[in-house]
Amino acid sequence: MPKLKPESLLVSAGRPHTPGAPLNAPIVPASNFLLGEGAVYAREDGTETWRAFEEALGALEGGTALGFASGMAAAAAVFDRIPLGGRAVLPADAYQGVVALAEAGAAQGRWVLERRATEDTDGWLAAATEADLCWIESPSNPMLVIADLAAIGAGPRKPGGLLVVDNTFATPLNQRPLERGADVVLHAATKYLGGHSDLLAGALVVRDRDLADALRRTRTLQGGVPGALEAFLATRGLRTLAVRLRRAEENAAALADFLAGHPLVQRVHYPGREDHPQHVLASHQLDGHGAIVSLEVAGDATAAERVCSATRLIRHATSLGSVETTMERRAAYAGQEHVPPNLLRISVGIEAIEDLQADLDQALAVLQDGRTCPSPRTTHL
């Protein structure tokens, strides 16, 4: 059989093959097993529910996949690889949960932390020769900046140094960083892989078997293992990723164009638009431009919050990657000081595009009336 395309792997990988077995790997809510040959304890040995998810994701990314209890649990396992007093480099625009983790370790003296602009390819190439960990998001959260993964991945690295790419926004359908030289790929499976706002899960995918074994040991010792139901839901979500993502991308492209022409929008950030500063790189590197659109409304933080409070179809909520469209003001959260205060990040879902455009149009109209906004939030994702 010829090599399957990613859309086919999504549907076929990780399924049972024994005649008479269920078509889908079942939920195995087991913590321990009868002693003898085989598994002993789920935290150490996993279950067939975990293995289905890991097999499918590994096939998509082209490596060995490990499931985790959350994206942050997966990130913590990677940071645990940094030697005491080592050096970690993060993007200037990055998910604030990872930034908080990195800053906490730096404050404790565990490593030295440095930040680089995502688009600064020369800076990343120079940093990689001295850093123990180079952590890249592309597209970045929430500014949608693109890193030149092929150039950075092909550059020299410090012996033992790791190049990690957070592939949550792009998904394995749009880019596979291991093919471009990354050592580790991270997914917050809570987002696009799960796709229905009903689970917390994370994953790492690596090329090197020894590194996979080391990360698996870390997962076992730290206990950051996925739950049985979460692993099942993540695998089920993978099966429909292609149809969900492509529909959401179509909506995102249309919504970005609509917003770019709106008189109450100052700027739109979307890699699929020709006015994006890295549109050419994004089009070359990505198989699709994704379903996240960031926009800067006319006005300040208060104006942006008023728009969020006025939507009717679009949900005013955090997180992303689900079938429903969500929107929030990212600068409302600590650690996002670099984000324009009037920027809204929209995770575009699969609703009818006409309804999404109409909802945003009426919500933006509140900038011309006196409706009030809710209090800023203190939690974040």
Side-chain angles (χ1 to χ4, degrees), residues 271-282:
R273 285 185 51 82
E274 292 185 359
D275 58 4
H276 188 282
Q278 297 160 299
H279 172 70
V280 174
L281 174 61

Side-chain angles (χ1 to χ4, degrees), residues 77 94 149 204 249 262 365 378:
L149 297 183
L204 299 175
E249 282 181 326
H262 200 287
T378 56

Side-chain angles (χ1 to χ4, degrees), residues 73-360:
V78 175
F79 273 84
D80 195 62
R81 303 296 304 162
I82 304 173
L84 184 63
R87 181 180 174 193
V89 186
L90 264 66
D93 184 40
Y95 171 53
Q96 76 271 27
V98 171
V99 173
L101 173 67
E103 289 180 340
Q108 295 164 3
R110 295 182 60 191
W111 50 70
V112 176
L113 179 61
E114 178 185 334
R115 306 291 291 275
R116 293 269 182 181
T118 302
E119 67 273 28
D120 181 11
T121 303
D122 290 340
W124 284 103
L125 288 170
T129 62
E130 300 179 356
D132 298 283
L133 174 66
C134 286
W135 184 285
I136 293 176
E137 286 184 17
S138 184
S140 69
N141 181 8
M143 302 303 294
L144 302 175
V145 184
I146 309 297
D148 191 337
L149 297 183
I152 298 170
R157 289 201 275 282
K158 177 181 178 179
L162 296 178
L163 173 61
V164 182
V165 177
D166 185 334
N167 204 28
T168 298
F169 273 27
T171 84
L173 287 181
N174 283 345
Q175 72 182 9
R176 290 160 294 282
L178 296 183
E179 296 176 358
R180 298 181 181 272
D183 299 298
V184 183
V185 173
L186 177 135
H187 286 281
T190 305
K191 278 69 171 179
Y192 284 105
L193 303 190
H196 293 81
S197 300
D198 56 7
L199 68 97
L200 286 175
L204 299 175
V205 192
V206 302
R207 294 183 296 171
D208 184 80
R209 289 284 183 174
D210 291 338
L211 178 58
D213 290 342
L215 290 168
R216 187 179 290 107
R217 285 193 297 272
T218 298
R219 179 184 69 176
T220 298
L221 293 173
Q222 294 180 345
V225 297
L229 177 60
E230 288 77 11
F232 177 84
L233 290 173
T235 307
R236 189 179 68 171
L238 277 176
R239 305 303 187 203
T240 62
L241 175 61
V243 290
R244 288 187 287 104
L245 182 62
R246 296 312 179 212
R247 170 59 183 263
E249 282 181 326
E250 291 177 5
N251 280 350
L255 201 61
D257 289 342
F258 168 77
L259 292 168
H262 200 287
L264 295 173
V265 174
Q266 292 180 345
R267 185 179 180 186
V268 172
H269 303 259
Y270 184 65
R273 285 185 51 82
E274 292 185 359
D275 58 4
H276 188 282
Q278 297 160 299
H279 172 70
V280 174
L281 174 61
S283 299
H284 172 73
Q285 183 166 283
L286 295 162
D287 294 328
H289 292 113
I292 303 294
V293 177
S294 292
L295 69 142
E296 297 172 40
V297 304
D300 56 10
T302 299
E305 290 284 357
R306 289 172 63 199
V307 173
C308 285
S309 70
T311 58
R312 298 167 182 167
L313 173 64
I314 297 170
R315 299 298 181 178
H316 186 194
T318 193
S319 201
L320 57 101
S322 191
V323 292
E324 69 274 358
T325 300
T326 59
M327 180 171 69
E328 64 176 336
R329 189 175 74 87
R330 292 304 293 173
Y333 304 127
Q336 299 284 273
E337 290 77 14
H338 67 287
V339 176
N342 61 337
L343 182 136
L344 300 177
R345 187 192 70 188
I346 304 178
S347 173
V348 184
I350 63 173
E351 303 93 338
I353 184 59
E354 297 84 358
D355 293 332
L356 293 175
Q357 290 173 342
D359 194 30
L360 277 172

